[in-house]
Amino acid sequence: MAWKTIGQPNSIDRISRAVVLDRLSHAYLICGMDGIGKVTFAQDIAKVANCLEMPKSSGPCGSCNQCIRIDSHNHTDVFIYDVKKDLDEVGRTTTMVTIDQLREDFLRQVHRKPYEGRTRIFIISSIESMRSEQSNILLKTLEEPPDDVVIILLARDASNLLSTIVSRCQVLNLDPVGELEILEYLGECELGPEVPIQEIAKLSRGRPEWAYRAAINPEILHILEDKLNQFVGCLIGSLEQRFKLSKDLSTQFFRDRDGVYEFLDIAMTWTRDVLLSSSERAGDIVNISHKERIHEFSKMLSTTDILNILKLIRMTLGNLRKNVTPSLVLDNFMLKLPVATSLT
Ligand SMILES: [Zn+2]
């Protein structure tokens, strides 16, 4: 068997059982964090639905003509749309779905018979970004799915989606993958010796595709590093510096809110590392290449300060998600952030 999905034993088991019983659903909704492997899992489903070894086996063989063509994105019955981005998680080119495409391309394709395989597969990514007109087009198809078609919707989580869409799909929730499993996966990826796979596995926090992207593209770790330095700079910086960053972040928020969430996320991970370091659990820290600096800060901040920072980050994230004015939220964050002072 050749599942490319890393981890996810429960979801794999559900699909395997459905295939063996010839009961694949016409619609699945795969939920999970960005970088956890939703596209890969959807493609694994595309393979089990078309693999020539099925249903003798409970997973795709990975080596028949069908599996190979799906893996290389050359299968004429497998379509990948992304509602939001024009590049998906692992850099494959996918098309951005406009209303016209959904109406014309998707609706035209979905009613055709399979051309080279048994089942036509439509993978639609980032469906939380769908507008109502797009949702309606999709809903009509989900209400009366054609035979020989499996529609696979991908989203971060089901809570923001129309209940009429969710109720017509079988929901598969992808769980964070264990650090050791990610490390083992990276070990098999034939990466250069210079790639810090241990640190990447820790930083990935359960997201194997994120880990792979970070391993093949050093720029990802550089961006994290920059954000980390900005946050650490704030802890020791003047109010002026803090407000400058707050202004930059609130400007960024309008075009790239994920980037701002990522900044706060990194701040959270790093502060937790300081807490672990101060409680003699330095072995558990995530940012292992910053061990010394983290130790230094564990001496400069009291435990109360560290706990307050964590609380403040959570509150800031919550308020940004609730659409409170970003400049207010971020100014408040900078004002309340404790100052780390050197003991010397
Ligand atoms: Zn196969």
Side-chain angles (χ1 to χ4, degrees), residues 9-62:
N10 297 334
S11 295
I12 286 182
D13 191 49
R14 270 180 67 186
I15 295 296
S16 301
R17 274 183 290 145
V19 173
V20 170
L21 299 169
D22 196 19
R23 294 247 175 91
L24 261 190
S25 168
H26 280 297
Y28 288 97
L29 169 61
I30 301 177
C31 295
M33 297 182 284
D34 286 348
I36 204 160
K38 298 190 288 287
V39 177
T40 304
F41 188 47
Q43 283 186 296
D44 273 340
I45 298 178
K47 280 185 274 178
V48 288
N50 285 294
C51 174
L52 299 176
E53 294 298 318
M54 305 300 295
K56 292 190 295 252
S57 154
S58 60
C61 76

Side-chain angles (χ1 to χ4, degrees), residues 130-307:
M130 267 192 176
R131 301 204 184 87
S132 58
E133 196 184 343
Q134 291 170 319
S135 301
N136 286 336
I137 293 170
L138 188 61
L139 205 52
K140 279 200 192 105
T141 313
L142 290 175
E143 275 164 4
E144 289 174 50
D147 289 339
D148 313 323
V149 161
V150 177
I151 297 169
I152 307 174
L153 308 177
L154 314 181
R156 283 184 187 159
D157 70 279
S159 61
N160 298 326
L161 305 177
L162 287 177
S163 58
T164 41
I165 287 190
V166 179
S167 65
R168 283 174 174 81
C169 300
Q170 284 204 18
V171 182
L172 297 158
N173 287 305
L174 302 191
D175 304 314
V177 179
E179 190 184 309
L180 281 178
E181 206 169 342
I182 292 185
L183 194 57
E184 199 179 311
Y185 161 60
L186 291 177
E188 289 163 3
C189 288
E190 295 179 0
L191 303 160
E194 75 290 353
V195 180
I197 57 172
Q198 270 184 330
E199 183 158 30
I200 291 175
K202 281 179 184 291
L203 284 169
S204 73
R205 284 172 302 132
R207 299 165 297 160
E209 288 206 353
W210 183 92
Y212 180 69
R213 264 183 296 156
I216 57 167
N217 180 5
E219 187 58 20
I220 292 180
L221 289 188
H222 290 156
I223 292 172
L224 284 191
E225 181 92 16
D226 284 348
K227 290 185 172 175
L228 184 57
N229 288 334
Q230 282 177 329
F231 173 67
V232 177
C234 269
L235 284 174
I236 47 175
S238 66
L239 205 52
E240 228 178 327
Q241 275 171 292
R242 290 179 174 205
F243 280 141
K244 161 121 189 16
L245 182 59
S246 161
K247 200 171 163 221
D248 291 347
L249 288 170
S250 36
T251 312
Q252 184 186 0
F253 193 77
F254 289 102
R255 56 183 161 79
D256 168 29
R257 50 181 70 196
D258 286 346
V260 178
Y261 292 144
E262 193 177 53
F263 169 81
L264 290 164
D265 205 44
I266 290 156
M268 178 96 88
T269 314
W270 195 84
T271 311
R272 256 195 229 125
D273 283 349
V274 176
L275 185 64
L276 289 169
S277 185
S278 69
S279 45
E280 308 295 326
R281 284 179 54 199
D284 294 334
I285 69 170
V286 168
N287 295 281
I288 43 184
S289 60
H290 296 277
K291 235 178 194 160
E292 281 167 24
R293 192 150 60 136
I294 286 166
H295 182 70
E296 211 179 295
F297 272 80
S298 74
K299 305 279 173 220
M300 289 158 69
L301 290 159
S302 69
T303 307
T304 314
D305 279 343
I306 301 172
L307 293 173

